[in-house]
Amino acid sequence: MLPSDLTTLLTEYPPHTLLTPGPTPIHPDATRAFLRPMLGHMDREVFALNREIQADLRRMYGSAEGAFTALLAGTGSLGMEAGFANLVEPGDEVLVCANGSFGRRMAEMAARYGARVRLVTANLGEAIDPAEVAAHLDGVQMVAVVHGETSTGVLNPVPEIAELVRHSGALLTVDAVTTAGMEPFDGDAWGVDYAYTGAQKCLSAPPGLAPVAVSERAFARFSARRTPNPSWYTDFEGLRAYWSDQTYHHTVPVNLHFAFHAALRAALREGLEARALRVRRMGQAIFTALAPLGFSHYVKRPEQRLPTVLALRLPEGLDDAGLRSKLRDRHISITGGLGPTAGLIWRLGLMGEAARPEPYRIFLAALEDLLGERGMLERFEQSWAASQPQRPQPAMV
Ligand code: PLP
């Protein structure tokens, strides 16, 4: 039996301050919606909810009216895999921008679906140069790029890359895992053909759903395939059968749909521009708090910094693993580097509900205590207050 009062239920667990680059703390509206009584995946109320999710996803991705949107029952990687499974045929030339772990994951998946992969790379901590993309576009059927490379905190110049791809006839796939829902995303205006994210990132919904957007052009390319899609589960036709024609394909996780719907509604209510501003103000306040200790930006060029993952180079001598373990003892989770940046950086999550002052106050207070340093919280508060939008002053009479 569930206690009738959700607050009582939640106090059975110790509170946790989750500041990783995903998953993010669940939005309270999503927690509440998750606990709705179960309905069947073919229930009319669920189909009505799905239609709202599809329309809301079009807004989040800035997709055209005719774009197909849906939730895949899996994490962000399933969204990634579905793009290559549906839109790549053996022998296709696919140009993958790979300046970190997730770009490399894309390249590996494209190859598994039979693509001949061309890589455009950049130094770690640097964005992909659109000129490099332009130089390798000839004869390419698809270009794939990660918008925000979570492994290094780099923002790739998707609008500029899209502009080049648009004139080439290739499809453009964008990994929007750390951007969609937090940053304005103009899929249609930019010319994005396939975009995906994970529910547990910028939307602060539970993990287990991959929201995708497929342009009409991409759907037409899929429909004209010479060979069947080797993935039955993610097949666009099967997904369309359920999401558009309301016929059975597989049993969707209905309670995750409830939670996702509520989280996406909350994000759109706040507004993507307001969310983008909130992230930047938070990032600035955290950096102001930590910089005097010797933390510095890992990504040198400001315009290449991903606002939702604050990648900070650690001060000399800081005990990375030991400190993070002590924070975890206090129910605070933060993430270090990945692969070559392990021990070198921290990646502080600023997606969805993580990008709020309250959890960072808890983190900074714990850090002050563990390091025996003072002033971090004060600097944070000053920067945060100074970045408040100015209220209009009453007119003098
Ligand atoms: N792409 C990016 C940019 C990511 O950050 C992640 C996960 O962190 C993924 C793809 C894979 O998503 P998931 O772990 O939900 O499968």
Side-chain angles (χ1 to χ4, degrees):
M1 276 288 288
L2 284 178
S4 56
D5 182 357
L6 178 61
T7 321
T8 315
L9 172 71
L10 294 178
T11 52
E12 284 175 18
Y13 303 100
H16 196 93
T17 304
L18 186 62
L19 300 175
T20 62
T24 52
I26 310 279
H27 192 285
D29 290 2
T31 306
R32 217 171 288 117
F34 186 83
L35 295 174
R36 270 186 71 169
M38 191 63 181
L39 290 173
H41 56 293
M42 302 298 285
D43 185 274
R44 64 179 181 203
E45 261 189 71
V46 173
F47 282 129
L49 187 102
N50 288 347
R51 274 196 299 276
E52 290 184 0
I53 291 173
Q54 287 185 291
D56 287 353
L57 283 179
R58 268 186 225 106
R59 277 180 65 196
M60 181 184 84
Y61 281 122
S63 302
E65 259 319 295
F68 173 69
T69 50
L71 300 174
L72 308 187
T75 63
S77 302
L78 188 71
M80 186 188 286
E81 185 141 11
F84 296 117
N86 282 282
L87 300 173
V88 166
E89 291 195 73
D92 280 1
E93 297 280 342
V94 175
L95 187 157
V96 181
C97 302
N99 53 338
S101 307
F102 294 103
R104 285 198 301 277
R105 184 177 295 188
M106 277 183 141
E108 187 188 334
M109 282 191 190
R112 286 196 189 197
Y113 284 94
R116 284 150 42 144
V117 175
R118 300 182 193 179
L119 285 184
V120 167
T121 60
N123 292 331
L124 277 187
E126 291 178 16
I128 295 290
D129 180 355
E132 284 288 308
V133 176
H136 295 91
L137 261 183
D138 226 24
V140 157
Q141 274 90 33
M142 180 196 275
V143 173
V145 59
V146 178
H147 197 189
E149 198 18 280
T150 327
S151 61
T152 54
V154 166
L155 181 72
N156 280 319
V158 163
E160 288 83 349
I161 292 172
E163 179 67 24
L164 296 165
V165 176
R166 201 193 336 230
H167 301 297
S168 77
L171 293 178
L172 178 64
T173 287
V174 176
D175 176 313
V177 168
T178 53
T179 51
M182 211 69 199
E183 297 278 305
F185 193 94
D186 286 325
D188 186 39
W190 292 343
V192 176
D193 291 295
Y194 180 71
Y196 60 88
T197 181
Q200 79 279 17
K201 297 283 190 170
C202 293
L203 292 171
S204 282
L209 290 172
V212 302
V214 187
S215 75
E216 280 185 282
R217 198 165 77 113
F219 220 106
R221 181 79 68 88
F222 158 77
S223 301
R225 283 181 70 105
R226 302 177 303 276
T227 55
N229 174 359
S231 161
W232 181 92
Y233 195 63
T234 68
D235 192 77
F236 285 169
E237 206 50 67
L239 293 173
R240 191 162 65 175
Y242 178 73
W243 285 86
S244 304
D245 305 337
Q246 304 185 355
T247 55
Y248 171 68
H249 183 248
H250 61 266
T251 306
V252 300
V254 173
N255 48 350
L256 289 182
H257 285 210
F258 292 154
F260 183 84
H261 175 266
L264 180 53
R265 279 276 145 113
L268 294 177
R269 213 181 307 123
E270 183 182 0
L272 298 181
E273 263 144 38
R275 286 163 81 78
L277 183 64
R278 168 157 66 86
V279 178
R280 282 159 179 75
R281 293 171 56 215
M282 280 295 300
Q284 184 55 47
I286 298 162
F287 183 71
T288 305
L290 295 178
L293 277 75
F295 285 87
S296 59
H297 282 291
Y298 176 63
V299 179
K300 288 290 160 239
R301 294 177 60 176
E303 74 281 9
Q304 297 187 351
R305 286 178 199 146
L306 172 62
T308 52
V309 179
L310 183 61
L312 295 179
R313 195 178 278 276
L314 304 178
E316 201 69 40
L318 186 116
D319 174 15
D320 168 33
L323 199 49
R324 284 191 291 117
S325 169
K326 286 189 185 130
L327 287 166
R328 181 61 187 84
D329 293 342
R330 297 176 181 216
H331 305 284
I332 300 167
S333 293
I334 62 159
T335 305
L338 196 63
T341 58
L344 197 70
I345 64 172
W346 277 356
R347 293 176 302 139
L348 301 176
L350 286 172
M351 287 178 265
E353 291 308 291
R356 301 264 179 211
E358 294 73 22
Y360 273 94
R361 285 182 184 123
I362 294 171
F363 163 64
L364 292 171
L367 211 53
E368 284 195 351
D369 193 33
L370 289 168
L371 295 175
E373 289 268 351
R374 289 287 166 262
M376 282 180 246
L377 260 175
E378 202 182 319
R379 288 192 292 275
F380 173 85
E381 297 298 356
Q382 279 171 357
S383 169
W384 177 250
S387 70
Q388 293 292 334
Q390 296 295 310
R391 291 231 180 94
Q393 298 295 311
M396 298 290 280
V397 281

